[in-house]
Amino acid sequence: MKRIFMLLPVMLLYCGLMAQNTFKAKVFNYQTKAALKGATANIPDLKISASADTSGLITIPNIPNGKFEMEITYVGFVKREMVYAFPQKAPEQILEISLEPSTGELAEVVVQTTRTDQNLRDIPTRIEALPLEELDEKSTMRPGDIKMLLGETTGIHVQQTSAVSGTASFRIQGLDSRYTQLLQDGMPLYSGYSGNLSLLQISPLDLRQVEFIKGSASTLYGGGAIAGLVNLIGKVPEKEPELTMLLNGTTAKGTDASVFYSQKWQHIGTTIFGSYNYNGAYDPSNTGLSAIPQTNRFTVNPKMFLYMDDHNSGWFGVNTTYENRLGGDMQVIAGNADNVHQYFERNKTFRFSTQLSFTHKIDDKSRINFKNTVGFFNRQLSEPGFDFKGRQVSSFSEVNYVHNGEKASWVAGANLLTDNFTAEPPQNSLNYNLTTIGAFVQNTYKATNWFSLEGGLRVDDNTPAPAKPSNGLFILPRLNALFKLTEHLTSRIGGGLGYKMPTLFNDESEQDGYQHIQPLNIGNTQAEQSYGLNGDLNYHSALGDEALININQLFFSTRVDRPLILQNNTFVNAPGHLLSKGAETNIKLVMDELVFYLGYTYTDTKQYFGGITGTQPLTPKHQFSFDSTYEIEGSFRFGAESFYTGPQLLSDGTTGKGYITFGLLVQKMWKRLDIFVNAENLTDQRQTKWGRIYTGSITNPDFKDIYAPLDGVVVNAGIRIKILN
């Protein structure tokens, strides 16, 4: 009997250790609440694990009593580590565990450009997005403008329009800049005359996301979105205040100083961005001409946000930029002009615009939105013996209704756009005036879990009207389809019509400096009309437990009838059409802290004019990009990138040389401080190495096409101070 009592505690202890408990939990995406099929729960001490079923449910039986650490993991999401005690107080309860997407996973991006605020994966329209994490990296590479941000995007080619002033435009899928739209929060702040210097006057520090639509987007945004659009989305205040300062210097005599502040209270919030950008005239090739002009720029962009109640909210912002940009002969810039050294190109610009956005939420599914922008842009372009002064006053107003249902989403609205350009004598014959009234409707229908269809229709009426056949009225249908073929493979196919009103503001006018351009008679010039089609395949999958791969293959084709061409300094309709077709390949591999990106663009743009076929100048057929980043979140970042631009036909009939550039970025981050060093074009590729960039004399140079860098190796270094975050 005594032995039995002695063995009883041992038996009870043994039974306790051998007690069997069952752990049950549902794992879901923190942002979208979607179940994460295949998520893994692991108990290291017991060396047991289990995976989630199609509903995200994980079940682990036969767990003994005690406290055990459990790891919940899913590829592309941040790992969670928790300690559970067994037996549980409510053993039958199914726990809910949420995982947050990691930095390298871009699958859960919510986009605004289609106006429905849907997840990127669920939209039939093909949209690419650069979220805040990637913009954070780009802002340390070139804090003063978005030229690099766009130039490093597959399918977008940045074209320099001045050899000495650095002005540039961007082209999507081989089509001129006039066929693209640059938007700020969905509003055309940078259209017409004011768009020519936009790439150089926008800072990425003020942005939280950039969205791209490549291909016709005219049904959503009207004339000019034939090749596509870029939507720059500004930051909004959060509950936690933010105060960030950035100081940057370059080996090319550049200095940037920026500050951003934001805070949200109960019913009000604000964001304030200000910057000063300076660059001294820089001539790395000793040509006697500035590869980078002398520049002084001030920018102030304040916004006020109102959160009146659960149904009404809005914001009001002001965009102000002043810039003095002087390029040309280095001796003239230094104030040492003489009989030989006389050439200069000065741009003085002042940009002021207001933005207003208001949303009334009817219920959980429906809302009404109103937005408006009024812009004023003044520019004085001066060259020896020539001054071109002009100002633009433009406005855009839109009201739309959005309804997001379980099966169908609707967007319907109307907008009014005015654009008035006035030049001072003697160039006042170039004055331009346009009013556009438009209405549109769009429906997104989720027929099944694997198929969605998005259709839209827009009607625009323009005054003054161009010559027939359209006579100012344009009807623009669009159709896009999304196929979720498997869990890992999706496809989008879409197309639509577009148009572009005749205008003087394009790359050719900028290259000429408006000196010889003749007036445009809209009534005697036909509008350009387009037909676009694109389709893609997208594959994403896990590679083992530590890697994620995403492969996207896009094919595109756009035809533009009667494109405007410059003949004898006058813009006329070409007797034929322009056809741009090609493909884009994007491969992204995420392996925990390491990310690899490979991009390739093939562009074949041909002119079919008067029965003669020719290649579009300044359009490289082949472009490659490679980028690799190693990042320990919040601690360290190292990046290396390389770009290849293939040979391209130039306007004089010669062929520009292909070239490769290479860059490096090192960034160390602490809680309140970042230090970064970035080097661009370490291969020192310069067009001036391969020949003169102008003909004639330095007194009166006639510049050739600029197709390669002029500034050579540029290293920048700086600090970012997060005073509040």
Side-chain angles (χ1 to χ4, degrees), residues 322-630:
Y322 170 78
E323 181 181 272
N324 188 352
R325 177 179 294 261
L326 176 61
D329 193 306
M330 295 293 287
Q331 287 193 208
V332 177
I333 297 173
N336 299 319
D338 56 30
N339 291 334
V340 175
H341 300 279
Q342 298 180 2
Y343 182 77
F344 69 92
E345 185 179 304
R346 182 189 293 274
N347 280 278
K348 285 186 177 180
T349 59
F350 175 69
R351 185 190 302 271
F352 179 85
S353 63
T354 61
Q355 302 91 50
L356 172 67
S357 178
F358 176 78
T359 298
H360 172 67
K361 185 178 178 182
I362 301 172
D363 52 40
D364 290 339
K365 295 182 179 180
S366 304
R367 67 180 186 271
I368 296 175
N369 306 292
F370 172 78
K371 53 187 176 182
N372 167 268
T373 179
V374 178
F376 172 81
F377 180 75
N378 187 79
R379 178 185 181 190
Q380 178 181 350
L381 172 59
S382 301
E383 296 182 15
F386 176 79
D387 275 324
F388 180 70
K389 299 178 182 179
R391 63 182 181 273
Q392 178 191 25
V393 178
S394 60
S395 71
F396 174 80
S397 301
E398 177 181 295
V399 60
N400 64 65
Y401 168 78
V402 178
H403 176 80
N404 288 318
E406 293 183 6
K407 281 283 188 180
S409 296
W410 288 90
V411 180
N415 50 37
L416 170 68
L417 186 146
T418 66
D419 189 1
N420 180 272
F421 170 74
T422 305
E424 293 189 9
Q427 288 85 29
N428 54 323
S429 60
L430 300 181
N431 290 357
Y432 176 82
N433 186 45
L434 178 68
T435 299
T436 304
I437 300 175
F440 59 91
V441 61
Q442 174 184 280
N443 171 259
T444 305
Y445 179 66
K446 186 178 180 180
T448 66
N449 289 332
W450 62 270
F451 177 70
S452 298
L453 188 67
E454 187 169 84
L457 182 68
R458 181 184 188 90
V459 179
D460 274 359
D461 185 57
N462 294 272
T463 306
K468 294 183 178 181
S470 300
N471 201 30
L473 183 68
F474 298 91
I475 300 175
L476 308 172
R478 182 176 68 96
L479 191 65
N480 293 276
L482 168 63
F483 302 88
K484 295 185 177 181
L485 305 175
T486 69
E487 182 184 354
H488 304 290
L489 184 64
T490 60
S491 176
R492 289 177 172 87
I493 300 175
L497 305 186
Y499 77 99
K500 175 64 180 176
M501 290 290 290
T503 175
L504 293 175
F505 308 117
N506 51 47
D507 295 350
E508 290 90 346
S509 300
E510 279 296 307
Q511 290 169 353
D512 179 75
Y514 298 92
Q515 287 199 46
H516 308 99
I517 301 298
Q518 298 300 306
L520 176 69
N521 188 330
I522 292 181
N524 292 329
T525 310
Q526 297 183 22
E528 303 172 76
Q529 292 184 274
S530 71
Y531 314 86
L533 181 67
N534 61 73
D536 80 341
L537 283 170
N538 193 79
Y539 175 80
H540 68 278
S541 179
L543 300 178
D545 295 330
E546 300 294 333
L548 182 73
I549 190 169
N550 194 95
I551 302 174
N552 183 270
Q553 180 62 55
L554 168 70
F555 300 94
F556 62 87
S557 178
T558 303
R559 171 176 168 147
V560 181
D561 286 342
R562 304 175 302 276
L564 284 187
I565 59 174
L566 190 62
Q567 285 186 350
N568 300 321
N569 299 320
T570 302
F571 285 101
V572 298
N573 292 108
H577 66 274
L578 188 70
L579 181 62
S580 181
K581 56 186 178 180
E584 293 179 29
T585 304
N586 293 278
I587 302 174
K588 185 172 185 178
L589 177 63
V590 181
M591 297 188 299
D592 203 5
E593 292 90 2
L594 192 61
V595 179
F596 294 99
Y597 171 80
L598 179 66
Y600 168 66
T601 305
Y602 170 76
T603 308
D604 183 20
T605 306
K606 290 287 191 348
Q607 300 171 341
Y608 298 90
F609 299 160
I612 300 174
T613 302
T615 300
Q616 175 92 340
L618 294 171
T619 309
K621 271 195 173 184
H622 305 282
Q623 290 180 287
F624 287 92
S625 61
F626 173 77
D627 185 284
S628 62
T629 304
Y630 175 78

Side-chain angles (χ1 to χ4, degrees), residues 96-381:
E96 292 187 346
I97 300 174
S98 63
L99 298 182
E100 294 186 359
S102 62
T103 302
E105 171 60 44
L106 302 180
E108 307 304 330
V109 175
V110 175
V111 295
Q112 298 184 15
T113 303
T114 57
R115 295 182 172 90
T116 54
D117 293 341
Q118 291 180 301
N119 189 280
L120 186 65
R121 281 187 169 178
D122 299 325
I123 298 176
T125 299
R126 185 182 187 275
I127 298 180
E128 300 173 36
L130 288 179
L132 185 60
E133 293 82 2
E134 294 195 33
L135 293 176
D136 175 79
E137 179 182 348
K138 301 298 183 185
S139 67
T140 61
M141 292 180 173
R142 191 185 287 261
D145 59 60
I146 62 169
K147 184 178 176 181
M148 178 180 292
L149 185 152
L150 295 183
E152 295 184 355
T153 303
T154 308
I156 297 181
H157 179 61
V158 172
Q159 175 60 47
Q160 188 163 328
T161 55
S162 171
V164 296
S165 291
T167 56
S169 62
F170 69 99
R171 303 176 175 185
I172 296 179
Q173 295 180 345
L175 295 176
D176 283 355
S177 62
R178 69 176 182 270
Y179 300 123
T180 63
Q181 280 196 5
L182 183 63
L183 309 174
Q184 178 84 49
D185 295 308
M187 301 181 227
L189 273 64
Y190 309 102
S191 60
Y193 184 55
S194 66
N196 297 319
L197 289 165
S198 58
L199 295 190
L200 307 173
Q201 296 183 342
I202 302 171
S203 170
L205 188 65
D206 194 26
L207 304 176
R208 65 183 170 97
Q209 189 158 296
V210 177
E211 298 174 6
F212 307 90
I213 295 181
K214 298 172 185 175
S216 177
S218 293
T219 303
L220 284 173
Y221 289 96
I226 287 175
L229 62 84
V230 177
N231 191 10
L232 309 172
I233 300 170
K235 291 181 178 178
V236 297
E238 306 290 347
K239 290 184 179 179
E240 293 296 325
E242 177 185 350
L243 177 57
T244 301
M245 299 178 63
L246 186 145
L247 300 173
N248 177 71
T250 78
T251 57
K253 302 182 180 180
T255 302
D256 305 284
S258 306
V259 60
F260 176 81
Y261 169 74
S262 74
Q263 188 166 1
K264 179 181 179 182
W265 296 274
Q266 184 175 359
H267 295 293
I268 197 170
T270 187
T271 64
I272 302 173
F273 172 77
S275 68
Y276 170 67
N277 307 97
Y278 169 81
N279 217 109
Y282 183 60
D283 176 22
S285 303
N286 295 317
T287 62
L289 296 169
S290 59
I292 299 177
Q294 178 180 291
T295 307
N296 280 280
R297 181 168 70 251
F298 299 88
T299 302
V300 179
N301 295 337
K303 289 182 181 178
M304 184 66 69
F305 295 77
L306 296 176
Y307 311 97
M308 289 160 273
D309 51 44
D310 292 339
H311 293 275
N312 299 287
S313 62
W315 59 269
F316 175 79
V318 174
N319 183 312
T320 305
T321 301
Y322 170 78
E323 181 181 272
N324 188 352
R325 177 179 294 261
L326 176 61
D329 193 306
M330 295 293 287
Q331 287 193 208
V332 177
I333 297 173
N336 299 319
D338 56 30
N339 291 334
V340 175
H341 300 279
Q342 298 180 2
Y343 182 77
F344 69 92
E345 185 179 304
R346 182 189 293 274
N347 280 278
K348 285 186 177 180
T349 59
F350 175 69
R351 185 190 302 271
F352 179 85
S353 63
T354 61
Q355 302 91 50
L356 172 67
S357 178
F358 176 78
T359 298
H360 172 67
K361 185 178 178 182
I362 301 172
D363 52 40
D364 290 339
K365 295 182 179 180
S366 304
R367 67 180 186 271
I368 296 175
N369 306 292
F370 172 78
K371 53 187 176 182
N372 167 268
T373 179
V374 178
F376 172 81
F377 180 75
N378 187 79
R379 178 185 181 190
Q380 178 181 350
L381 172 59

Side-chain angles (χ1 to χ4, degrees), residues 78 100-104 133 592-593 630-637 669:
V78 179
E100 294 186 359
S102 62
T103 302
E133 293 82 2
D592 203 5
E593 292 90 2
Y630 175 78
E631 180 175 356
I632 301 175
E633 189 171 355
S635 178
F636 178 78
R637 176 187 291 147
M669 296 92 84

